[in-house]
Amino acid sequence: HFSVAALLVTLLLVSCNKEKPNNDKSIFRLNLSIPLTSLDPAFASDQSNTWSVNQLFNGLVQLDSALNVVPCIAEKWEISDDRKTYIFHLRNDVYFHDDACFPNGKGRKLIADDVVYSFYRLIDPATAARGNWVFQHIVDSVNAFYALNDSTVEVKLQEPFAPFLQRLSIQYCSIVPKEAIEKYGKDFRSHPVGTGPFKFVQWEEGELLILHKFEHYFEKDAQGVQLPYLDAVNIQFNTNKSTEFLKFLSGELDFVSDIDAALKDNILTKDGNLQPKYSDKIKLLKGPYLNVEYIAILMDTSLQIVKESPLSFVEVRKAINYGFDKNEMLLFLKNNRGIAATGGIIPPSLLPQRGDSVQPYGYVYNPDTALQLLAAAGFENGVGLPEITFHTVEQYQDIAVYIKDKLEDIGIAVKIETVDSRLLREMRLNATTVMFRSSWIADYADAENYLTVFYGGSEAPPNYTRYHNPVFDSLYMVAVAESDETIRKNLYYTMDSLMMQDAPVIPLFYDEVYRFVQKDVSGMDPNPLNMLDLKRVKKAE
């Protein structure tokens, strides 16, 4: 590990003395700092897995840059009047990559049976897929998916579910060939066979992943040119974000996502833009990110740990929400990367700021109101208020300390306990922490994805707060069955507002995507899900 001082010296040398990048222009090089654990789409649960899987596989539908559902393997579809039956018409030019699992090692055409097989595999308990929740409570596990003929698939829902097409865009719903699963079994994780723009060549775990252009890929650009433009993708695995950025500055990598906190002041100005010394060397692309960082509070009052906590008082939870300045926090600790979360749990890029007709909700910094709320709970100026333990991880230590200091100014004593992320996951799962650092990155572009985290019918995960409000739950059931988008959004506003009045969370900030790319790279504009899609990326000759 570098020391910060050594890093900055190296940065200075690199920025003055940039090497010529590798001459082979059509190989795209990146690093993943989180280990890749599987190339099986059923297990595409974190960024490294989803980014890699997204190059190798396709689903029935995909999202465009504005997060609208558009065709992919399915070229069109119909929805029945009762909105319980979906008929998908498949393209007839989609082929699986060449592989030894097929006769003569040649990839075959994808047909409707492949879709049916892939979806049943996803919900089969024997697969133990991370993504089995996609169809949970929505379809019958036995009579849901049918191949009407080779190019037509029927999906039957138990009840109308408005975000269904959005859910189908998730990487979990990628189509896989039965032959490959039968031949490779569990080893399909390291021997993927898909229909995506790139095909698998080599994976040395923790070292590198090599993908090559798939010559028979079905998608073309607006001018009729076959995608992808790149010849190959070369992915390294270095867990040190500072080392990653140095490799990028020296031209060894074409792209880096986000930045190590130790480098932020050297690379970025206080308002989150590139320092002038880098602006002629690299490009910074940024945009909204459907990721909310927040503090969660355990709400199940049947648990002794909750009964004994002052956080069982709604006034105390609200006082914490009012008790520190989120804008100041972002300026000091993150060079203004992100937007202060003064609204609800749903990011404004997904559910835009409310119009005049809807009452705004959320919390802005107001220490006077916080003190009034503490007094109303019987803890005037914090007198008699027991110390609150806040569990977080190393990466968020600076934010935790900032919040602790500000809350102590109004009489709320906080004890920070830093644990590793695996232990924090267990504590959240087993309800052994009352106040804990959390975040939610959207899986798809419908606000229901955030609200399901607080739906009483959801277990942990995702409902780690064990929040349960019967009014919220009944609105949730109405909203997911509502086909009129305007009505559904108004229901979402109401639910978000209702949940924030109960304050099971303290939203901190709505995140932003930061992408650093070399000057010769185009087609890397960020999308709000921060999905890596390389099929339209070009490197200038």
Side-chain angles (χ1 to χ4, degrees), residues 65 131 152 274 396 506:
S65 57
T152 318
L274 270 183
Y396 288 85
I506 297 108

Side-chain angles (χ1 to χ4, degrees), residues 228-246:
Y229 304 123
L230 296 166
D231 290 327
V233 178
N234 187 335
I235 302 175
Q236 304 173 18
F237 298 92
N238 189 319
T239 55
N240 188 309
K241 288 290 286 180
S242 299
T243 308
E244 173 190 72
F245 206 86
L246 290 174

Side-chain angles (χ1 to χ4, degrees), residues 293-305:
E293 301 285 334
Y294 59 95
I295 296 169
I297 294 165
L298 190 61
M299 298 287 286
D300 185 349
T301 50
S302 70
L303 298 170
Q304 194 61 31
I305 190 174

Side-chain angles (χ1 to χ4, degrees), residues 421-439:
S421 54
R422 186 187 51 79
L423 179 58
L424 187 57
R425 262 199 304 275
E426 283 174 19
M427 294 174 79
R428 286 163 44 190
L429 198 59
N430 301 326
T432 55
T433 170
V434 181
M435 185 180 185
F436 49 96
R437 180 261 150 190
S438 200
S439 69

Side-chain angles (χ1 to χ4, degrees), residues 497-512:
S497 166
L498 188 67
M499 190 270 293
M500 289 308 297
Q501 286 163 34
D502 291 335
V505 292
I506 297 108
L508 301 176
F509 60 92
Y510 310 115
D511 212 349
E512 286 182 299

